[in-house]
Amino acid sequence: MVKIGKLSAAERARYTAFPEPNPVPPLVGLNGQTGYLVDLAKSYAQSHADISPARFDLGGYQIYTTFEKPKEEALTEAVQAAEKKLDPDHRPADQNVHLGAASVATDGRILAVYGGPDYLKQGFDNANTVNVPVGSAFAPLVYAAGLGQGVQRERDGARTPVTPGTTYNGDNGVDLQTPEGPYWGRDGKKAKTANDGGKSWGSITLRAALEQSVNGPVQQLGMDVGLGNVRKAAIDLGLLPDSMGELTPAYALGNSTPSAIRLADAYTAFDAEGKRTDPYSVSSVSQNGADVPVAKPAKVQAVTPEVAAQVDAALRGAVKEGADKGVRQAAADGAGKPGTTQERNAGWYVGYRGDVATAVTLFRLDLKTLELLPLTGVGGAAQNVPDSTVPAGIWSAYTKATAH
């Protein structure tokens, strides 16, 4: 400032210490889950109601949201009950654990989210992540793509339909095939199927593979449909293009990273005759008593009613025939799918009951590097306990609490 003539040398000499900035005033009323809800509503209002950030900050707007207090409270209680079982002070595997959850109605309304322990302590929203792989909770989308588009197993060959009863090889370690022959990875080796626990199932129908979470047939189905076609189906179901994973055999096993909000919304199509609506958090906006136009997402036909019914039947079968008794006891009339990853860095449970779909995610995050950490041993679980167990427990408790 002296050099440019804005301050005299004599005046500059009076300042001998850098002044400490004033403390940031505390954010009032944003503690707990409130801040996450406010962020979602503010973001939607600014992008869909033609309100610039500068105008928004002037205040005077009344924003009416889609959130439902009883569901928000029930979801928070279900997650917090699970968090109480963690012991980060005495169990290293419980350190840096994050839980997120979201409930979305079949018409796209976001009803409840759990973004983290407290917005004032953790600003980023665990329900709206961009870096957590979805794992095998992606399988219903692959299944829907296969049922809707059929498969092509030979180069220049015709596409042929598949049904829930179409059989695949459910053994572990089977070579993955393309229309040109075996798929060779960048490491110079043939890519092979990888079932949980290395279990072999023999010949198995696609529906049974989905119900029992058998990875191999889903991987091969993705290759037969064409990974680009599966990607299109996933985007049609509402997953964002930016969240799509690399189109390798791992794609069908869920290397994409949709948020809990987006994944719950995708599942709503299977219970709504294939129709879905992008998730939204604001129902109306007004300023000084006058309505402010706010755009609402349109309902679209993501998959045919027939495909939706077939996926729905398999997801209901997964609840009735699956290994998780807690889910079955909490929502015998529900539908859902656990999600795990081969790297064991994310666990999911996604399902619906009535007209509400809910996704719950579990992951560990190194806050310095933002890298995902292994989930092995979280909550004191044994080595062979699926990483979807905690999310399934939260989903069950929440669904049971909101059943009436």
Side-chain angles (χ1 to χ4, degrees), residues 11-373:
E11 190 175 2
R12 168 65 184 87
R14 291 167 47 196
Y15 298 104
T16 58
F18 189 85
E20 290 297 324
N22 294 328
V24 177
L27 298 171
V28 179
L30 296 182
N31 60 303
Q33 298 304 301
T34 304
Y36 304 115
L37 302 179
V38 168
D39 270 358
L40 285 172
K42 179 180 178 180
S43 176
Y44 190 88
Q46 289 184 346
S47 59
H48 292 79
D50 193 26
I51 304 173
S52 68
R55 286 179 57 199
F56 191 91
D57 289 342
L58 293 175
Y61 292 97
Q62 295 80 45
I63 298 176
Y64 300 88
T65 71
T66 61
F67 310 127
E68 295 185 1
K69 187 175 181 180
K71 286 185 171 59
E72 179 63 34
E73 291 176 344
L75 186 59
T76 299
E77 290 174 6
V79 178
Q80 289 179 342
E83 288 179 328
K84 289 178 181 178
K85 298 176 183 178
L86 301 175
D87 188 7
D89 293 332
H90 300 93
R91 200 157 45 215
D94 289 352
Q95 296 172 0
N96 302 310
V97 170
H98 293 264
L99 287 160
S103 269
V104 181
T106 52
D107 60 4
R109 289 175 297 127
I110 303 174
L111 305 176
V113 298
Y114 182 86
D118 190 319
Y119 179 79
L120 298 184
K121 297 177 181 178
Q122 177 193 296
F124 67 86
D125 187 347
N126 292 341
N128 204 21
T129 56
V130 296
N131 65 330
V132 181
V134 63
S136 51
F138 190 71
L141 283 68
V142 181
Y143 186 53
L147 295 172
Q149 302 182 46
V151 298
Q152 181 182 1
R153 297 193 176 98
E154 297 178 0
R155 174 181 281 190
D156 300 325
R159 298 191 74 85
T160 58
V162 294
T163 71
T166 300
T167 57
Y168 270 70
N169 188 338
D171 287 345
N172 188 63
V174 176
D175 290 346
L176 286 168
Q177 301 293 325
T178 73
E180 288 77 29
Y183 184 97
W184 292 85
R186 294 174 181 171
D187 58 0
K189 299 179 181 179
K190 292 180 182 179
K192 298 179 181 294
T193 60
N195 293 335
D196 286 345
K199 182 177 179 179
S200 289
W201 294 75
S203 181
I204 188 172
T205 66
L206 285 175
R207 172 170 170 169
L210 189 65
E211 291 177 346
Q212 299 297 329
S213 294
V214 186
N215 290 337
V218 175
Q219 277 185 285
Q220 186 58 59
L221 177 63
M223 303 299 289
D224 293 344
V225 175
L227 298 179
N229 293 324
V230 177
R231 182 183 189 276
K232 180 182 183 303
I235 292 173
D236 287 345
L237 283 161
L239 301 195
L240 298 175
D242 289 348
S243 73
M244 293 290 98
E246 188 177 5
L247 297 184
T248 67
Y251 183 77
L253 294 185
N255 65 3
S256 297
T257 56
S259 67
I261 294 173
R262 281 284 168 173
L263 194 57
D265 182 70
Y267 271 58
T268 63
F270 304 135
D271 192 41
E273 298 182 330
K275 298 182 178 69
R276 55 160 295 278
T277 306
D278 276 347
Y280 67 99
S281 55
V282 174
S283 56
S284 64
V285 177
S286 63
Q287 184 182 35
N288 300 323
D291 287 339
V292 176
V294 55
K296 298 280 186 64
K299 183 177 292 186
V300 297
Q301 190 76 47
V303 297
T304 67
E306 293 77 18
V307 167
Q310 290 169 330
V311 178
D312 175 68
L315 292 176
R316 293 185 185 279
V319 170
K320 294 177 182 178
E321 306 295 334
D324 198 309
K325 295 181 180 179
V327 170
R328 185 159 57 251
Q329 292 171 347
D333 59 341
K337 178 76 173 66
T340 57
T341 67
Q342 290 181 297
E343 296 78 10
R344 297 206 66 177
N345 57 6
W348 292 79
Y349 195 86
V350 191
Y352 50 85
R353 184 179 186 274
D355 62 353
V356 178
T358 302
V360 184
T361 183
L362 163 71
F363 58 97
R364 293 179 65 219
L365 185 68
D366 185 320
L367 295 179
K368 294 182 179 179
T369 64
L370 298 182
E371 293 182 358
L372 295 176
L373 303 172

